[in-house]
Amino acid sequence: MIKRRIRSQLAELLDTSSAVALLGPRQVGKTTMALEIAESRPAIYLDLESDADRAKLAEPELYLAQHEDKLVILDEVQRLPDLFQNLRGLIDRARRAGRRNGQFLLLGSASIDLLKQSGETLAGRIAYLEMHPVDGLEVGPQELDTLWLRGGFPDSLLAADDRASLRWRQDFIRTYLERDIPQLGPRIPAETLRRFWTMLAHHQSGLLNAADLARSLGVDGKTVASYLDLLVDLLLVRRLEPWHANAGKRLVKSPKIYVRDSGITHALLGIGSGEQLLGHPIAGASWEAFVIETLIAAAPAGTTANFYRSSAGAEIDLLLTLPGRRPFAIEIKRSLAPKLEKGFYLACEDLQPEKRIVIYPGSETYPAKNDVSVMPLAAAGRMLLD
């Protein structure tokens, strides 16, 4: 078992909120986490993909009222959107009786739908927590390259060998395309969406050019936008927005696009081993995305993530703005002797960041010129956690 950092956050939210929604892509470990929590307190678990469990909720208020002294865990809750209205009544009744926390744990894999449905109905009664795949701070330094290659989905990371891991990820992609996405409603041909997802992997860490993608797919720009929204909604793709606070500069306005899990990126591109990865042109962009996901996962709640690029060539890979602080400027290099370009220093002159950091794949932290700190990923992640 991999010890997940999010467990203590989830337990804390359950102790302070009536309902908690745990969001994350399928197979990321939400159910395992919920069942661990259930062992520590009175609880019942219902899987809403099971006909038997859905039948129990034919009269939800009658059934759930019998278990008002327990934590009720509802898995794949987006399958029964009408349930939120009943949950509101049960939460309010329990509050009047003096029980104000730990009533419901809702697990879901489609974030926008779930946020919209629960936010409208359970406003002020629900807290949200996103569960990421395993990140670079949850494994030892010696396992970091394996995590980068295989990605953070537990079954892929812990597979017997690289071949088994790649096969799991290919099956995961196929299941999403052929079963999970059609269940959410969109009528998108699986092969078209696979081509789109693969194009995003090829353009990992690149600026979004919807017109080019639309031409390649033979669709219009609005269709590309809807495909992208879907993959972002499913927490499979990240749209990293550009920094926009500096109005005196001409800044790039297109977002950067990342396939969030490095293992899924590699599976889409047919990369199955560390040797293949290091010899592939995508290696640098894949490493950048891997580092960005780990640092965003480690950053405190309320942190905003952006990149910075001006028309004059000033550029920073990642800006993390922690609550109430100036941004941290982070450059990511896949080199043991990282060299910074002039664009990074120009961007720092524009932004005057609180910290200037270079992430590299080495093991030591050391200072560089112009107040830059060169750090391994684990050290930067621990700094953000602290």
Side-chain angles (χ1 to χ4, degrees), residues 135-191:
D135 64 51
L137 305 183
E138 295 175 316
V139 300
Q142 68 280 3
E143 297 168 296
L144 204 59
D145 283 345
T146 301
L147 176 63
W148 175 37
L149 171 66
R150 297 184 178 185
F153 288 92
D155 288 341
S156 174
L157 178 60
L158 301 175
D161 53 41
D162 288 347
R163 182 178 296 179
S165 171
L166 179 60
R167 187 165 56 245
W168 184 91
R169 282 174 276 137
Q170 289 169 337
D171 290 341
F172 173 87
I173 291 166
R174 187 178 304 116
T175 301
Y176 248 108
L177 293 170
E178 296 175 1
R179 186 183 79 96
D180 295 342
I181 290 174
Q183 281 183 352
L184 293 171
R187 303 280 182 195
I188 302 173
E191 190 53 39

Side-chain angles (χ1 to χ4, degrees), residues 181-338:
I181 290 174
Q183 281 183 352
L184 293 171
R187 303 280 182 195
I188 302 173
E191 190 53 39
T192 301
L193 195 57
R194 174 189 286 277
R195 284 175 57 210
F196 178 67
W197 203 353
T198 304
M199 285 177 190
L200 296 184
H202 276 290
H203 290 89
Q204 184 80 312
S205 84
L207 294 174
L208 174 63
N209 188 326
D212 276 356
L213 292 169
R215 275 194 299 273
S216 299
L217 284 172
V219 298
D220 61 30
K222 288 183 180 178
T223 302
V224 162
S226 69
Y227 291 176
L228 182 60
D229 286 344
L230 176 63
L231 292 176
V232 170
D233 176 26
L234 292 170
L235 307 173
L236 298 169
V237 168
R238 180 178 298 281
R239 192 164 31 204
L240 189 66
E241 297 294 339
W243 177 268
H244 56 267
N246 190 335
K249 300 285 181 179
R250 289 181 59 201
L251 303 179
V252 167
K253 295 181 180 178
S254 297
K256 274 187 172 184
I257 303 299
Y258 298 89
V259 177
R260 292 180 61 163
D261 182 73
S262 58
I264 298 300
T265 303
H266 303 152
L268 288 164
L269 300 177
I271 299 170
S273 70
E275 286 295 318
Q276 285 180 297
L277 175 56
L278 292 176
H280 198 284
I282 204 69
S286 171
W287 170 254
E288 179 182 325
F290 174 68
V291 170
I292 284 173
E293 286 302 314
T294 294
L295 295 180
I296 289 175
T303 297
T304 58
N306 304 93
F307 74 96
Y308 183 88
R309 186 180 293 182
S310 75
S311 58
E315 183 175 0
I316 296 173
D317 291 333
L318 179 65
L319 285 172
L320 290 179
T321 308
L322 281 62
R325 301 177 71 168
R326 294 201 318 279
F328 290 12
I330 300 170
E331 192 73 4
I332 300 159
K333 299 291 184 184
R334 180 70 195 172
S335 167
L336 291 175

